Each structure stands twice: as C-alpha cells, then as structure tokens.
C-alpha cells in the first residue's frame, strides 16, 4: 500500500498534563495538513505516575477542543462503553459533532471488563479495577462487554438517523420514547471506530465499524497487529464484506529520542496494510511538537524512511530555533488506552 494513502493523527493522553498544554498541541496540529486528526483517551484516574495527578474528563475536554480547532477530525481512542449509558453517549456525541461542524469520529470500545494481570500489554493488575471502584462503575465479563457494545452501536445509529421517537429493548439496555435533536451534522452520523483486538470483538468490527483501531508498539508487536488483521479479514469473508472498506488504524508511541525507530515502526505497519497511524505523544509535550512530528516522522515515512535533508522541509512549516528535530527527552512511552 502506498504511503500516500496513509493518514496520520496525534494522541494527547490527558493525564499529568494541563489543559493549556493539550490545547496548545491541538491548535498547532490544526494548522498542519499533514496531521489529519487528533485524539484523547477515556479514563477517570491516572493509570501510571502519581495517583493524585490531574486527569481531565475526555468528552468534556473534546468539546472544548472542538470549539477551538477548525480542521482536525477528532475523537477518543476509545470511549469506554461502561462509563456512560448509550443514549446519554449518543446525545453527547451528537452535540460534539455539531460544535465541531461535523468533524467527530465516534471511537468506542468495550470498556472495563474482568481481565488478568498484564492483559493488553499493561504490566500489573488491571487498572480498571481501582478506577471503576472509585467512580461507582462495575466491571463485566468480556463476553457481556462485547454484547453491550453491540447494543450501544445500534442505539447510536438510531439516535443519529431516526426522526421519530423510538423504543429499544435489548438484553442489557431498555429505552422508551428516545428522541435526539439536533442530529449530528454528518449524515447518517459520525464514522464509527471500534477499538480492540479480541476475536469476538473483531466480529463486531467486521459487521458494524468503518474504522478498526488497535494499540501497536510498544504494547503489541507489528506481528500481533498483522495476525489480528487476518482474523478481521476472515470475519469479513464470512459475512461477505470487503475488508478494504474498513480503515486499519494503529496507535504508535513516539520516541522523542529516537525518531528513526518510530519511522521504522510506522513503515513496518504500512507494509502490513495499516492506512491510519495515530502518533501517541509522551508527556510533557515539547514546544513545537506537532511541527517536529511532521518533520521527523511523517515526512520521513513518506520519503521512504529517510530523514529529509536540511532545506527540503515542507515550505509551509515555520522554522523556530531549538524546535526542529530537537525535541527534549520525555518520560518512558505511555500505554495507549
């Protein structure tokens, strides 16, 4: 697949970082067409570092950023289906799509489920246990989580497309006389991104999603991503869907110290068919980090992995002393959610 078909986004994890810093990075990225989308995550307590550190509620923050950007597509990687009731989430998402002028991508996943220590490439006990206890939420078995997500997807679609009030009678959710105005700007609704990698979850991706997202290195290897992609292909074949209809999206944690390694990882992902790469930014966010990403990662990948020579950067980029190719070192790479 030609790298000209690959889209790039950024992810700013809203943990141990100020609102002002996140807004700074998003507004800088909004001016750079090489960066097409920007993402948050969906947690209520820090997953690492000081437990009393600041962390922002993601949909509230997304709404604020939607109002202060003009071009970027935006969303969460990924919304937890366990935090907000489906119809409440549908209303929230509709509002954000209106605020953004039709730029929302509806990223969603199963959310907190019972998982053994070390699951998902995150060392130690399942961090959702403490998080959900602190906020009065409940973990569910993985199978139930997937079934609940399927019902949520159906509710979202109906809220975004049906003009008349509707009822919903599912195994886990019941609605009576649900209506939703205003509808999203995008019709028949924002693109649906489903995040995850389990075999049963990938069946739901094949059936319903426009985009599939999975965390890549350092939490899942390129080989693991490729193997999960083959499972998705098999599901698509089983239901008669062209797998090329589904965008393959992978999160990659950026190394400020070794951009060549990040470029090599991205090139490997492109070689296995990934066509959307979300560059996760470790905190703190250096000055000019969005420009640095374009110069050191995106342009390098599109040049075939070679670092652009001095004087060959895109002419619209603004040079600033101390920021081009020289972002300071950051903390160890974080775990994408």
């Amino acid at each position: 697949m030609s790298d000209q078909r690959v889209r790039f986004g950024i992810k700013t994890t809203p943990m141990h970082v100020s609102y002002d810093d996140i807004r700074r990075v998003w507004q800088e990225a909004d001016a750079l067409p090489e960066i097409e989308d920007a993402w948050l995550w969906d947690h209520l307590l820090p997953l690492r570092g000081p437990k009393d550190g600041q962390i922002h509620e993601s949909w509230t923050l997304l709404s604020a950023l939607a109002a202060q950007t003009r071009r970027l597509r935006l969303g969460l990687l990924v919304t937890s289906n366990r935090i907000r009731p489906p119809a409440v989430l549908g209303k929230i998402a509709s509002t954000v799509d209106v605020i953004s002028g039709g730029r929302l991508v509806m990223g969603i996943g199963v959310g907190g489920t019972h998982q053994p220590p070390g699951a998902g490439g995150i060392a130690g006990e399942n961090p959702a246990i403490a998080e959900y206890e602190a906020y009065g939420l409940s973990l569910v078995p993985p199978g139930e989580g997937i079934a609940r997500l399927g019902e949520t997807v159906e509710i979202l679609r109906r809220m975004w497309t049906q003009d008349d009030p509707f009822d919903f009678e599912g195994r886990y959710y019941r609605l009576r006389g649900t209506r939703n105005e205003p509808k999203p700007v995008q019709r028949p609704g924002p693109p649906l991104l489903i995040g995850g990698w389990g075999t049963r979850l990938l069946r739901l991706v094949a059936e319903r999603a426009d985009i599939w997202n999975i965390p890549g290195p350092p939490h899942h290897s390129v080989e693991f991503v490729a193997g999960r992609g083959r499972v998705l292909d098999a599901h698509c074949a089983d239901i008669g869907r062209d797998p090329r209809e589904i965008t393959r999206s992978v999160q990659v944690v950026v190394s400020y110290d070794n951009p060549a390694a990040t470029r090599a990882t991205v090139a490997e992902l492109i070689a296995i068919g990934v066509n959307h790469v979300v560059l996760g930014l470790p905190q703190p966010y250096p000055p000019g980090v969005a420009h640095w990403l374009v110069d050191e990662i995106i342009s390098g990948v599109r040049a075939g992995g070679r670092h652009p020579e001095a004087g060959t950067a895109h002419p619209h980029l603004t040079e600033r002393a101390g920021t081009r190719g020289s972002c300071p070192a950051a903390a160890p790479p974080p775990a994408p959610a």
Side-chain angles (χ1 to χ4, degrees):
M1 180 176 294
S2 168
D3 62 20
Q4 296 302 313
R5 298 175 57 191
V6 177
R7 296 183 293 108
F8 287 90
I10 61 169
K11 182 178 181 181
T12 54
T13 302
M15 174 183 68
H16 301 310
V17 66
S18 72
Y19 164 60
D20 289 340
D21 277 346
I22 295 171
R23 179 179 59 186
R24 165 178 61 83
V25 173
W26 280 51
Q27 289 181 330
E28 181 184 344
D30 197 40
L32 300 173
E34 294 89 348
I35 300 173
E36 298 190 33
D37 38 79
W39 305 85
L40 304 171
W41 72 353
D42 194 22
H43 289 282
L44 303 171
L45 290 179
L47 298 191
R48 65 185 180 279
K51 295 184 182 300
D52 60 352
Q54 62 179 322
I55 182 167
H56 308 283
E57 196 285 317
S58 295
W59 276 98
T60 311
L61 179 58
L62 187 67
S63 181
L65 295 168
Q68 297 184 82
T69 54
R70 299 181 60 187
R71 181 190 57 83
L72 290 167
R73 297 210 68 129
L74 43 86
L76 271 58
L77 290 179
V78 286
T79 303
S80 167
N81 191 48
R82 299 295 303 129
I83 294 178
R84 304 161 194 86
V88 174
L89 178 60
K91 173 61 74 175
I92 292 169
S94 298
T95 301
V96 172
D97 197 57
V98 169
I99 290 170
S100 69
R103 292 183 284 130
L104 177 67
V105 179
M106 184 65 231
I108 192 167
V110 169
T113 61
H114 299 298
Q115 297 288 341
I122 300 176
E125 185 180 52
N126 179 4
I129 295 174
E131 179 183 19
Y132 279 42
E133 287 180 348
Y135 280 85
L137 303 169
S138 60
L139 301 176
V140 298
E144 178 180 333
I146 294 169
R148 286 178 176 271
L149 178 58
E151 290 187 16
T152 293
V153 169
E154 183 177 349
I155 290 168
L156 294 178
R157 293 294 195 199
R158 294 183 68 177
M159 289 182 70
W160 294 341
T161 59
Q162 292 191 205
D163 293 326
D164 296 329
F166 68 89
D167 298 341
F168 181 85
E169 189 73 41
R171 180 176 180 183
Y172 298 104
Y173 303 112
R174 174 193 288 184
L175 306 176
R176 292 290 180 267
T178 302
R179 63 182 74 210
N180 181 44
E181 293 295 340
K183 296 286 192 293
V185 172
Q186 300 177 85
R187 296 299 180 93
L192 178 65
L193 177 152
I194 295 179
W197 55 88
T199 298
R200 289 175 293 180
L201 186 281
L202 290 172
R203 179 72 177 205
L204 183 62
V205 171
E207 292 170 347
R208 307 300 293 273
D210 303 299
I211 306 164
W212 167 51
N213 181 267
I214 180 174
H219 299 95
H220 290 136
S221 68
V222 174
E223 293 75 17
F224 180 85
V225 174
R228 293 290 86 191
R230 290 190 291 271
V231 172
L232 178 58
D233 290 340
H235 283 313
C236 288
D238 189 46
I239 65 174
R241 184 178 184 186
D242 185 345
R244 293 173 296 182
E245 295 176 0
I246 302 172
T247 296
R248 311 290 174 108
S249 174
V250 176
Q251 303 175 53
V252 176
V253 177
V254 169
S255 171
Y256 297 143
D257 289 333
N258 191 354
T262 302
R263 292 194 300 269
T265 297
V266 172
E268 290 179 36
L269 289 166
I270 292 170
I272 64 168
V274 170
N275 49 12
H276 179 229
V277 177
V278 179
L279 300 168
L281 303 180
Q283 307 97 337
Y285 307 134
V289 66
H291 284 86
W292 181 88
L293 283 176
V294 170
D295 290 352
E296 291 289 337
I297 307 299
I298 299 173
S299 295
V301 169
R302 288 180 169 158
R306 302 181 301 277
H307 188 307
E309 297 295 328
T312 64
H314 294 279
H316 67 270
L317 294 182
T318 302
E319 294 284 357
R320 285 154 300 134
T323 64
R324 184 177 178 83
S326 59
C327 283

